[in-house]
Amino acid sequence: MLKTAVGWHVELEFEEDTHRTRAAALVRLPDGTEVRSHGYASRHPADGNQPRVGEEVAGARALNDLAMQLLTKAHGEIDSASGRTSFPLTH
């Protein structure tokens, strides 16, 4: 059996100010599709300034949104190829 190695590279970029962090995620798929998402984090005024934590929260939210978009895309492709409505892919 021949196995094909496939890899995806996800890009994450962050923008921060003193109270908010924004993450933008991008993955380019082998079929040429680009999937983009965003995630946000806000620092409570009583919390210390920890930019890394804001990046982790905003990045995780962007990646979660990216994952949901990929599941939706796969679900649509399954339905299209099978000619029927399948169960939603949520996990």
Side-chain angles (χ1 to χ4, degrees):
M1 175 180 3
L2 178 65
K3 293 185 179 182
T4 303
V6 176
W8 296 356
H9 295 276
V10 177
E11 297 177 29
L12 277 172
E13 293 183 353
F14 299 95
E15 291 180 2
E16 298 173 284
D17 62 28
T18 56
H19 298 290
R20 293 182 201 94
T21 303
R22 176 183 178 270
L26 166 69
V27 63
R28 290 182 184 91
L29 303 176
D31 69 1
T33 303
E34 287 188 354
V35 182
R36 298 172 185 267
S37 64
H38 296 93
Y40 302 89
S42 297
R43 182 174 65 83
H44 188 277
D47 292 340
N49 188 12
Q50 296 179 317
R52 189 188 78 235
V53 173
E55 290 172 4
E56 291 169 352
V57 171
R61 289 175 174 163
L63 291 171
N64 186 57
D65 183 54
L66 191 68
M68 295 309 296
Q69 290 184 54
L70 290 168
L71 282 170
T72 299
K73 181 180 183 306
H75 180 67
E77 291 172 2
I78 290 168
D79 286 355
S80 181
S82 68
R84 62 180 172 77
T85 301
S86 58
F87 291 103
L89 301 171
T90 56
H91 302 28

